[in-house]
Amino acid sequence: MDLNQLWQLTLSEMEVQLSRANFATWLKNSQLIDRKEGVFFVALPNNFVKEWIENNYQKNILGVLRNFDVSAKKLEFIVTNQEPKTLAKKHLEVDFNKIDNQAGLDLARVDPDTNLNPRYTLDSFIVGSSNELAHAAALAIVQEVGTKYNPFFIYGGVGLGKTHLIQAIGNEIKIQYKGKYRPRYVSSEKFTSDVVWGIRNKRMEDMKKRYRDCDVLIIDDIQFIGGKEKTEEEFFHTFNTLYEGNKQIIISSDRPPQSIPTLEERLRSRFDGGLTADIGYPEYEMRVAIIKNRLQVANRQLSIQVIDLIANSIKRNVRELEGVLNKILFYQERKGIEVDKKTAEEIIEKSTQNFLGRISDDQILKAVADFYNVGIPDLVGRSRKKETVEPRQVAMYLLRDILRMSYPYIGEKLGRDHTTVIHSYEKINQEVNKNSPFNQKIIMIKESLHNKG
Ligand code: ADP
Ligand code: MG
């Protein structure tokens, strides 16, 4: 396997492990450029990123890389000021179409004008009951750019297709209207860093112009803007200018506007004024359709038993579903034999273990305690205080959900008998499956765990 393929696989695994923001900030612009005697050389855009990765993710990345190439002993990070695209061309002769087929990340195909990745299309977006409304809204916006459904706010958990859908709207508008409308996609981290750049270099006017000078502004993961005063202020003004000029605004978030705690009221009420849609967990048929679609695009085959197994093992994250599928295909290619159900089971088992294997029960308790702002003794003690009921139930749920601990063991850990644990687990599980705002809390706690991993 060449370096680039190897890195794509490693990144797609890391993308599942880290939060979206962390992944985008630290790893998106990395490139594996060489390997010598077990040392793997990774190019990074600047020293800041290098230091951060060395301190936080080095071990993790090496561990993941080793799953794909056992010869990996050590990572060396090198700072290069070159764009990853030129780097890749120079050193690797990468066939980007090939990578695209692997459904991995395609860093270099982003359109510099719009910042959109052409891989995200409405055609390749599979529709089911969990995203029907969001998809219908997307189609409507393409027909009525800027007028009827403005702003469009889409929310849902990690890896459920938000970025795909909002970028697809941009791509579709660009193609259908042949340049009449200029879309621009931006992550909220990028928006924030542009504001910071504008302030620092006294170039706010340039920065403003850039964002107000488009017809469709697409902002991804708006929750990361919340609480950053200057950025929010700037976003608010940009928003108003565009809105008043009948420009289309499209926003995504991991939770509904009213649940972004630090978002200023005036901004929130603007979002409420437009069209809001959520994306939930994909149902079984949709998961199968996504797998089949990927296989078709990549011109690969898997038995119906294996497809069924994948679809039944990963239910709540399309990105993870794709990650597992990639691994199975990779294995099949390397061994040159058809993967049977048992082997697929092992691969899935291993990759879901990788995903959460480093997390301990105490880390889970701490994450829950931190999230709810209670002490660990409140969780494990006999306290019957009302404020601790929910955190304790959530802790029980997560111990079971993540670590597969037995009910009696969890009971012992939290000083409750096992029937209470079963009851709590089932109660929370029901909430989670309803995809209610409550579920967003669970997602946030899990994310905080991954960030530490
Ligand atoms: P989010 O932004 O919600 O975290 P993404 O849009 O990045 O999720 O989706 C994760 C991966 O799953 C992407 O590769 C995307 O193409 C794929 N995906 C998600 N939903 C669908 C869908 N309905 N049809 C096809 N692919 C999907
Ligand atoms: Mg996204």
Side-chain angles (χ1 to χ4, degrees), residues 209-341:
K209 194 163 169 300
R210 229 160 100 201
Y211 286 104
R212 296 180 191 178
D213 201 24
C214 65
D215 306 296
V216 182
L217 182 62
I218 305 169
I219 299 210
D220 208 352
D221 288 322
I222 192 89
Q223 71 275 8
F224 297 122
I225 283 185
K228 295 178 184 121
E229 248 171 60
K230 197 70 200 163
T231 317
E232 244 188 54
E233 182 74 27
E234 187 46 46
F235 176 69
F236 185 70
H237 291 307
T238 304
F239 184 98
N240 280 342
T241 310
L242 292 172
Y243 186 75
E244 276 150 25
N246 279 332
K247 313 289 191 191
Q248 181 70 48
I249 300 157
I250 299 169
I251 294 158
S252 88
S253 171
D254 66 348
R255 61 205 95 156
Q258 62 274 21
S259 313
I260 306 180
T262 45
L263 199 67
E264 236 187 290
E265 198 44 47
R266 57 177 184 173
L267 209 44
R268 195 173 312 166
S269 58
R270 287 283 167 159
F271 296 162
D272 285 341
L275 175 63
T276 303
D278 71 334
I279 294 197
Y281 297 134
E283 73 274 20
Y284 175 80
E285 290 76 15
M286 190 174 143
R287 301 196 297 272
V288 169
I290 289 173
I291 298 170
K292 287 191 170 163
N293 179 271
R294 286 288 184 272
L295 290 172
Q296 197 196 348
V297 171
N299 195 15
R300 301 286 296 273
Q301 253 129 38
L302 286 175
S303 72
I304 186 70
Q305 288 84 355
V306 172
I307 295 176
D308 177 67
L309 177 72
I310 303 171
N312 273 321
S313 308
I314 290 136
K315 299 179 177 165
R316 293 182 189 163
N317 186 331
V318 179
R319 188 176 306 130
E320 206 187 333
L321 187 79
E322 289 178 345
V324 164
L325 176 63
N326 281 344
K327 262 179 233 164
I328 292 175
L329 289 177
F330 167 65
Y331 183 92
Q332 182 162 284
E333 183 177 299
R334 197 172 53 173
K335 297 274 172 180
I337 46 163
E338 197 182 320
V339 171
D340 58 14
K341 194 164 169 221

Side-chain angles (χ1 to χ4, degrees), residues 20 119-120 124-127 131 157-165 220 286 290 294 318-319 322:
R20 191 76 181 163
R119 148 168 130 75
Y120 296 119
S124 64
F125 190 78
I126 310 280
V127 184
N131 60 13
V158 193
L160 296 179
K162 300 181 298 293
T163 299
H164 186 136
L165 191 60
D220 208 352
M286 190 174 143
I290 289 173
R294 286 288 184 272
V318 179
R319 188 176 306 130
E322 289 178 345

Side-chain angles (χ1 to χ4, degrees), residues 347-367:
I347 297 172
I348 293 170
E349 172 105 341
K350 199 162 154 248
S351 87
T352 30
Q353 262 173 19
N354 273 343
F355 187 33
L356 293 161
R358 283 171 301 277
I359 293 170
S360 70
D361 48 358
D362 288 333
Q363 272 172 311
I364 292 177
L365 292 183
K366 179 154 190 321

Side-chain angles (χ1 to χ4, degrees), residues 161-217:
K162 300 181 298 293
T163 299
H164 186 136
L165 191 60
I166 60 178
Q167 289 221 17
I169 299 175
N171 280 321
E172 192 65 31
I173 289 176
K174 196 180 145 199
I175 293 165
Q176 252 193 47
Y177 296 93
K178 299 192 179 72
K180 182 174 158 220
Y181 294 118
R182 286 157 309 167
R184 171 165 278 273
Y185 168 86
V186 65
S187 65
S188 65
E189 297 92 349
K190 174 82 170 79
F191 187 83
T192 305
S193 74
D194 281 356
V195 172
V196 173
W197 174 88
I199 295 168
R200 200 178 281 157
N201 296 297
K202 304 203 167 45
R203 300 265 296 273
M204 270 319 266
E205 286 315 306
D206 292 350
M207 140 82 202
K208 284 184 177 149
K209 194 163 169 300
R210 229 160 100 201
Y211 286 104
R212 296 180 191 178
D213 201 24
C214 65
D215 306 296
V216 182
L217 182 62

